[in-house]
Structure formats: C-alpha cells, structure tokens
Amino acid sequence: MRDRRPVDELSIEELEAVLRLRKREARLERLRQRPGEPEGRDLLVDQEAGSVESPAAAGVAAPRSVPAQRYSAVIQDATRAPRHTIRWGWVWNRFLLVVEILAVLGLVAVTAQMLMTVQALNEESGTGQPTPTLTPTPLISVAILPGGHTPPDAQGTSQPAAIPVHLQHLVEEITPLPLPTPGPEHAQRIVISGIAVDAPVVEGDDWESLKKGAGHHVGSANPGERGNCVISAHNDIYGEIFRELPSVKVGDEILVYTLTQTYRYVVQQTRIIEPTEVSVMAATNTPVLTLISCYPYGVDTHRIVVIAALES
C-alpha cells in the first residue's frame, strides 16, 4: 500500500532514504541507456528485486529498513500537480455580493433622483412672487380637502380618481368662479414660530395657487373676521411649507398678516382626518383659523388639520 503521508511528516532518516532512492533511480536511468555495462546490469537486477542500497555502503548511519516502493509512492504523491476544482460556494457568495452592491446603488440613485426633483420644485416655487390671477377655478373643495397631490388634467380640472365617486356629481354642478382681487383685508403672510414657518399667502388653494405659497380658501372668512378662515399648503413639494405642521402643539401662536393688521391665533386642537372630511371647512360663529395639509409626509393618504382661535 502506498504511503500517503505528506513529506513534512517523515523523519530525517526516512527523508535521507528517499533522497538516496531518487539518486539511485537517476543512476539507473542513465545506465539503462548503456545496458551492456556490468554495473548497469547489477543495478537493474537490484531494482527489479525491489531492494535499496545499504546505508552502510553509502557511509551513513543505518536507518530503519523501508521498502523502495513505499518511498517511490511518497515522492510521486508529493510531486504530483494539485487538481484544480471550481469552488461553487465561493462563486455563489461573490454573485450575491455583486447583486447586493447593485441593489444598494440602485436605491441610492432612486433616492438621489427624488431629492433632486423635490429640490427643483422647491426652487421653482421660491423664485416666483405671489401674484393675483383672475383665471376661473372650480370650487372642488366641497368634495375633497385642498392641498392634495393630484395635478389637474389637460382641461384644468382635477383628476376624477382624487374625488370619491359619490361626490363627483357635486363638482360637475359647480360653476367656476373667478378669484377675487386681493384687497387689504386678505391674508398676505402666515408665521408659525414654533415650526419655523414664514410664508406668503395667496388667494385660492387650487394646484397652481399652492405652487406660490400657502393658499386662502376662496369663500372662507378673511383673517380676523367672524367665521372660518381656511389656509392650506403642501408638506413635501413646492416649498414644503407645512412639512412640520404635525409638530404644532396646543397653545402655539399663529400670526396672520394682512396689508393693514396682524391677527394672533392660538392653537386649540389638531386632527388627522380623511381627505373627504370637508366638515372642517364649514362656517363658524366665532373667528377661527383652520390650517390643512397632507399627512403623513411623503405618503399623503390623509389630512392634518390644525384649528386655532382668534386672540384679542
């Protein structure tokens, strides 16, 4: 049987015997080319008998007697070229690593694109100054609260998907009215120091109006008047004016400026409601300010409503 031990497990005596065996094999190979010489014939006979030259004849201490075939096999095993096999586990791990890297890069690219789009919209809204417009606008807020993220279609009306089916007939029955010309009694600016809001207020809360700032709902009370003054703004596009509106607390101060006077409101309550709960825009018997925006940030499936009362 072949000795399959690696070379580093052999003793010094065994390694010396192997070395002598290799030298003898080299001599035999040379003598086979000259078989007529007596020494060559004697060595051939010794090789066929499987013996090894005595260590005493070589002038060294006698090691353990080891068959020649055993060390020949050791040498062959030690010098045999290693077999190269494919490590499928290593290949699979590297493949998964590449997939994970590509997924992360894709996520980073999508996030960067979204941030760039939001920034572009914010810059667009910041460059324009609030200017009055006399274009007709439908009062669709009777069906759905203002501040939504559904842009108008080619005809200038909101997409039907944003309005509940059972309320769409109300929108069709409303005659568009022109926006009023801004006067000294109209809101011009809103300041909420608790959430660092200082933004212009324009008349109208349709898609185009809310690009310019916060929008005063046409038909609601003016600041300081008895009734419900409704102002809305976007939370994640066109300036993100009301992004931090969920952080407003009861007792916080809200200032609404007109051309002639400043009105101070104090927050009474906050609510999270469905977009179709338009009752928050109903008229009141006392001076009330109602702020509306989408909720939650970036999802916009509901509305957040902040209700404040006028302080004298």
Side-chain angles (χ1 to χ4, degrees), residues 166-206:
H166 67 286
L167 295 176
Q168 289 184 14
H169 69 281
L170 297 176
V171 180
E172 298 172 357
E173 295 172 0
I174 294 176
T175 303
L177 298 176
L179 294 176
T181 302
E185 72 281 5
H186 291 157
Q188 301 292 320
R189 176 185 170 203
I190 183 170
V191 175
I192 311 174
S193 58
I195 58 173
V197 168
D198 188 348
V201 179
V202 300
E203 283 298 308
D205 50 15
D206 60 324

Side-chain angles (χ1 to χ4, degrees), residues 2 5 35 42 68 85 102 125 132 147 151-152 187 191 193 210 241 284 286 309:
R2 287 186 175 182
R5 292 182 300 164
D42 295 340
T85 58
L102 293 177
S125 64
V191 175
S193 58
L210 293 184
I241 296 174
T284 60
T286 57

Side-chain angles (χ1 to χ4, degrees), residues 25 80 90 170 181 204 234 249 251 256 260 274-275 277 279 283 305:
E25 290 176 349
R80 184 180 296 118
W90 182 89
L170 297 176
T181 302
H234 288 300
K249 299 179 178 60
V256 180
T260 59
E274 295 288 339
E277 194 172 335
S279 60
V305 176

Side-chain angles (χ1 to χ4, degrees), residues 148-165:
H149 284 60
T150 303
D153 57 19
Q155 287 74 34
T157 59
S158 294
Q159 297 179 5
I163 304 174
V165 176

